[in-house]
């Protein structure tokens, strides 16, 4: 049975969000036909449903999301995927998810954690305002979108335009203070808690606090986010692949440029990759040593293992 249920309003966003969960080793499937939900809900760890409703009228967006969210009542984590620039019908579609879950389990306290920041894509939230590369939404091209112009930079105002859910903001200084400080703010009685975040570390801090309140207070969180926060919360909630863990990815990287070296170094930090380095200047690299080190990395649980060429081995073309 799916452990994460994501409702998204367009196919590109659906697949981008699904990829973030897949990077955690979770079996992820995206469907655009609601009739396929029962089939894949039983087979995937993460089911992403694309309603294609971004340009619908608010009432129609509500109906489309409510219909696909009904089967998610028993899923540990439900994500309402929102566009990184808040286009579409975020308020009404959020209402649809909340209404669907509370109708099926009225005794379980359901609340919303709105963290639409996507730092790696230049989307951040500061003082409750959503920014693109540091610029408020209303000063970016999305304010003039021909289909869904965004009229507000404040996330609370975007939600209030379509929803009666109450909101409260958790500012950046509280997030910077760590999970304990965020936990206290998450206990505010508002329906939707909107969190500032400017870097991935902030997403992890908020996720750790949300997981704590879920365990201690019995709260069921719905996330309103653009992908990264939902994945961070899934990790903090202990959501893991069902059945046998996926095999590690083996990569053989022959490029010895400095740019490739920087990319592989980042893969170590972001993906936990483990690389065995080969220096072509050595008279005869020992293949058995390389194989032993690759196997050791895989046995240690690295999801990505491989062999790379030492950057210092690049010769000056003019030499």
């Amino acid at each position: 049975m799916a452990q994460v249920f994501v409702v998204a309003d367009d196919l590109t966003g659906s697949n981008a969000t699904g990829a973030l969960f897949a990077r955690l080793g979770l079996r992820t499937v995206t469907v655009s036909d609601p009739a396929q939900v029962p089939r894949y809900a039983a087979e995937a760890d993460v089911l992403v449903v694309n309603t294609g409703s971004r340009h619908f009228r608010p009432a129609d967006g509500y109906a489309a999301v409510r219909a696909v969210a009904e089967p998610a009542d028993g899923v540990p984590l439900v994500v309402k995927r929102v566009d990184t620039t808040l286009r579409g019908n975020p308020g009404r579609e959020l209402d649809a998810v909340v209404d669907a879950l509370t109708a099926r389990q009225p005794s379980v306290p359901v609340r919303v954690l709105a963290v639409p920041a996507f730092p790696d894509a230049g989307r951040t939230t500061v003082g409750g305002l959503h920014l693109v590369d540091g610029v408020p939404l209303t000063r970016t091209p999305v304010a003039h979108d021909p289909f869904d112009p965004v009229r507000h930079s404040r996330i609370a105002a975007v939600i209030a335009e379509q929803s009666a859910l109450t909101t409260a903001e958790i500012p950046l200084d509280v997030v910077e203070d760590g999970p304990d400080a965020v936990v206290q703010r998450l206990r505010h009685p508002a329906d939707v808690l909107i969190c500032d975040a400017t870097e991935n570390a902030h997403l992890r801090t908020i996720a750790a606090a949300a997981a704590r309140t879920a365990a201690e207070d019995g709260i069921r969180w719905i996330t309103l986010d653009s992908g990264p926060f939902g994945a961070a919360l899934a990790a903090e909630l202990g959501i893991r692949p069902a059945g046998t863990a996926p095999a590690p990815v083996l990569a053989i990287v022959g490029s010895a440029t400095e740019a490739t070296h920087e990319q592989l170094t980042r893969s170590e930090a972001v993906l936990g990759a483990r690389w065995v380095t080969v220096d072509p200047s050595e008279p005869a690299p020992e293949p058995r040593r390389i194989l032993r080190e690759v196997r050791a990395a895989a046995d240690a649980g690295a999801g990505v293992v491989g062999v790379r060429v030492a950057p210092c081995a690049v010769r000056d073309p003019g030499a």
Side-chain angles (χ1 to χ4, degrees):
M1 179 65 182
Q3 303 178 73
V4 181
F5 193 94
V6 181
V7 183
D9 64 1
D10 85 321
L11 184 58
T12 300
S14 296
N15 288 335
T17 296
L20 296 174
F21 285 99
R23 282 171 56 176
L24 300 176
L26 296 165
R27 295 172 300 164
T28 305
V29 175
T30 298
V31 300
S32 294
D33 180 359
Q36 296 298 321
V37 170
R39 172 186 174 186
Y40 288 104
E43 297 180 5
D45 296 315
V46 180
L47 180 60
V48 185
V49 184
N50 165 39
T51 59
S53 54
R54 178 168 300 171
H55 304 309
F56 286 9
R57 293 180 302 170
D60 294 336
Y62 177 96
V65 171
R66 179 71 187 260
V68 302
E70 292 286 355
D73 62 297
V75 177
L77 176 60
V78 178
V79 174
K80 176 62 196 81
R81 199 272 178 185
V82 68
D83 174 57
T84 64
T85 57
L86 308 183
R87 293 173 297 166
N89 301 296
R92 286 305 286 150
E93 293 193 1
L94 180 60
D95 283 348
V97 176
V98 172
D99 291 348
L101 297 188
T102 54
R104 299 290 288 268
Q105 293 183 307
S107 62
V108 178
V110 173
R111 302 180 70 200
V112 178
L113 200 46
V115 192
F118 196 150
D120 289 346
R123 275 59 167 166
T124 57
T125 305
V126 180
L129 302 179
H130 202 53
L131 314 174
V132 177
D133 296 326
V135 178
L137 288 177
T138 51
R139 290 171 49 199
T140 69
V142 299
H144 308 289
D145 186 286
F147 299 104
D148 296 294
V150 178
R151 300 179 179 85
H152 309 283
S153 297
R154 185 170 296 281
I155 296 168
V158 173
I159 294 172
E161 194 170 49
Q162 298 180 345
S163 172
L165 293 170
T166 59
T167 60
E169 297 173 351
I170 300 180
L172 192 60
D173 59 341
V174 173
V175 178
E176 289 275 0
D177 284 342
D180 289 345
V182 176
V183 164
Q184 297 307 312
R185 291 299 188 97
L186 291 182
R187 289 177 170 143
H188 188 285
D191 299 320
V192 183
L193 283 304
I194 300 167
C195 297
D196 283 0
T198 62
E199 55 189 60
N200 290 327
H202 295 149
L203 304 184
R204 292 191 292 270
T205 294
I206 299 164
R212 254 183 63 185
T213 56
E216 296 173 3
D217 303 349
I219 293 173
R220 182 178 187 184
W221 291 111
I222 297 170
T223 74
L224 181 72
D225 77 277
S226 56
F229 178 71
L233 183 54
E236 289 291 338
L237 290 173
I239 293 174
R240 300 289 184 268
T244 305
V249 174
L250 174 64
I252 309 296
V253 182
S255 173
T257 65
E258 191 60 36
T260 298
H261 176 67
E262 292 175 1
Q263 292 169 344
L264 298 182
T265 298
R266 179 164 175 76
S267 75
E268 292 174 328
V270 176
L271 303 177
R274 296 277 297 277
W275 299 102
V276 177
T277 302
V278 175
D279 187 346
S281 65
E282 294 179 9
E286 175 52 54
R288 291 184 179 178
R289 173 191 66 83
I290 295 170
L291 182 58
R292 282 197 305 271
E293 293 185 20
V294 169
R295 283 177 171 168
D299 291 342
V304 178
V305 298
V307 180
R308 66 178 177 186
V309 178
C312 59
V314 180
R315 295 184 176 182
D316 183 350

